[in-house]
Amino acid sequence: MRTVEEHQAVVTGLLAPLPVEDVPLAAAAGRVVATDLPALVSLPGFANSAMDGYAARHAEVGTASEAAPVRLPVGADIPAGRTDVPPLLPGTVHRIMTGAPLPEGADVVVPVERTDGATDVVTITGAPDVGTHLRHAGEDIRAGDLALPAGTALGAAQLGLAAAVGYASVPVRRRPRVLVLSTGSELVEPGRPLQPGQIYESNSVLLAAAVADAGGDARTLHFVPDDVDQFLTTVRAELAGADLLVTSGGVSAGAYEVVKDAFRGLGTVEFAKVAMQPGGPQGAGTVDGVPVVTLPGNPVSSFVSFEVFVRPALRRALGHTSPDRLRTTARLTTALRSPAGRRQFLRGRFDGEVVTQVGGPGSHLVAHLARANCLVVVPEDVTELPAGAEVVVVLIEGALQ
């Protein structure tokens, strides 16, 4: 029996880093920077005002108060975006807006709230300390400094920084193209009438969404016949251009396990039992040079197996420096049992301090899975845990709130 870590290493080894492509910022959300990106300009690029007010010399306005105001002529108006900013002459102030370039000679900005707001001769009734309300060139980041290191996931803040330091496009790892296939003659497309013994096919929807959440592009292959020759012919015809094939179902020890029967004959896919629950039967290898990961068919087993093996491998190939889900610890609200020798991944609801098991351990309980927001991890050598015991929880996204 293979350990979880051993099978993780097998799956990870199938996927090489993906090629690099340049994409415009508008299309880069959720992608991963492939190379270090230095700042092309400094931020701020020039000294500017942090307030709407008046640029002044502190020596001329520092004594201003309600009882003894200072009155000075306004030499110029400086809105944001002005490029021909005149220097500040002694004995004058410039009216200035937030973000506008600071005139030469000014060392303080007096907020408009401490003046009468005049545009010809302004009355100043108080002034902050010298250097107040000024933004200095390069105080955020200087040109040439590292702005976004390779492996950075591009969210709103990171894309804003990339734009601010001069990038119109960024180098990122190409999204993995993942072919998702669910097997089973009992499966029917949702929306069609069910006959006795039939169920609606859900794994391809589940796995395609999981692929997208991990950063990949999924394409589903539906209702492939449970016949070894037809199965192989159909799959091989669809593999061109795929970076990974993910299958669900057909890998257990019973009869009519079409995935196992078809791929085992090729000699390039290895099937193993992994010491975990749910998700014991697993397979990994290549078909016609394309990496293949075979998952068990029960929906919860498929989901957990994807989370444990496929998702981190995809994210690592995309260049994520931290490909795994966030983990934390929580205390159990109720006692639980776990089979000896298998790592248990139970569904749970985590509220920031404690975790409550959602449903039982059954791998068919997809309604309970949809209500979970974490996986509770019970080690292989633990068979019982009392209420209040501390456990590791893996925070999964996309759960109902």
Side-chain angles (χ1 to χ4, degrees):
M1 189 173 286
R2 192 177 274 175
T3 68
V4 170
E5 287 75 18
E6 286 170 345
H7 196 64
Q8 283 174 330
V10 170
V11 174
T12 297
L14 293 174
L15 295 173
L18 291 152
V20 177
E21 61 184 6
D22 254 28
V23 300
L25 293 186
R31 306 292 288 273
V32 181
V33 176
T35 60
D36 289 346
L37 297 183
L40 303 179
V41 297
S42 296
L43 293 181
F46 50 87
N48 66 85
S49 175
M51 295 284 287
D52 293 337
Y54 296 83
R57 285 181 166 83
H58 189 268
E60 297 175 347
V61 299
T63 61
S65 66
E66 292 281 354
V70 172
R71 300 181 76 246
L72 291 171
V74 179
D77 222 26
I78 310 175
R82 183 169 177 177
T83 57
D84 58 338
V85 177
L88 182 65
L89 299 178
T92 68
V93 296
H94 287 347
R95 192 169 73 141
I96 194 168
M97 303 300 127
T98 302
L102 193 72
E104 180 184 345
D107 58 7
V108 70
V109 172
V110 180
V112 68
E113 293 84 357
R114 302 178 76 171
T115 74
D116 64 356
T119 59
D120 49 358
V121 177
V122 66
T123 299
I124 299 172
T125 56
D129 294 337
V130 64
T132 304
H133 305 315
L134 308 181
R135 299 168 179 162
H136 301 285
E139 71 176 46
D140 189 6
I141 189 170
R142 295 187 177 277
D145 288 350
L146 181 60
L148 295 169
T152 299
L154 292 168
Q158 294 75 27
L159 288 169
L161 174 60
V165 296
Y167 289 94
S169 62
V170 284
V172 296
R173 297 282 175 189
R174 176 176 58 73
R175 293 186 187 276
R177 298 183 290 256
V178 182
L179 182 62
V180 175
L181 182 156
S182 292
T183 64
S185 297
E186 75 281 12
L187 302 178
V188 175
E189 183 179 0
R192 300 182 63 181
L194 288 175
Q195 300 298 319
Q198 294 182 330
I199 60 174
Y200 287 126
E201 198 282 306
S202 62
N203 278 1
S204 66
V205 175
L206 182 155
L207 291 172
V211 167
D213 182 67
D217 288 325
R219 181 167 63 90
T220 56
L221 184 57
H222 292 286
F223 312 115
V224 178
D226 277 355
D227 174 87
V228 169
D229 292 334
Q230 289 186 52
F231 175 87
L232 275 177
T233 299
T234 303
V235 169
R236 284 177 145 164
E238 298 288 340
L239 282 178
D243 298 302
L244 174 67
L245 168 64
V246 176
T247 71
S248 65
V251 295
S252 295
Y256 308 110
E257 302 294 345
V258 65
V259 174
K260 196 172 190 178
D261 293 342
F263 289 164
R264 180 179 276 166
L266 300 178
T268 55
V269 178
E270 182 182 8
F271 294 90
K273 188 80 170 175
V274 178
M276 63 185 286
Q277 189 182 49
Q282 302 285 339
T286 61
V287 173
D288 297 343
V290 176
V292 173
V293 178
T294 69
L295 309 178
N298 276 314
V300 177
S301 297
S302 241
F303 176 83
V304 170
S305 299
F306 185 94
E307 284 287 322
V308 174
F309 303 119
V310 184
R311 187 179 195 276
L314 286 175
R315 286 170 60 81
R316 190 171 281 107
L318 277 165
H320 284 275
T321 54
S322 300
D324 296 322
R325 293 281 198 190
L326 293 176
R327 294 182 171 222
T328 188
T329 57
R331 300 207 172 270
L332 292 169
T333 58
T334 58
L336 61 80
R337 294 177 178 272
S338 183
R342 284 172 171 77
R343 189 174 307 175
Q344 185 87 228
F345 293 91
L346 299 168
R347 278 66 68 204
R349 288 290 302 181
F350 174 61
D351 71 356
E353 294 183 3
V354 299
V355 63
T356 302
Q357 185 177 343
V358 177
S363 56
H364 62 294
L365 301 175
V366 68
H368 292 93
L369 174 64
R371 291 193 289 271
N373 65 3
C374 70
L375 296 176
V376 180
V377 183
V378 184
E380 292 87 336
D381 59 350
V382 174
T383 57
E384 293 185 51
L385 287 170
E390 190 174 81
V391 291
V392 172
V393 295
V394 180
L395 305 180
I396 55 177
E397 301 163 357
L400 298 177
Q401 298 302 311

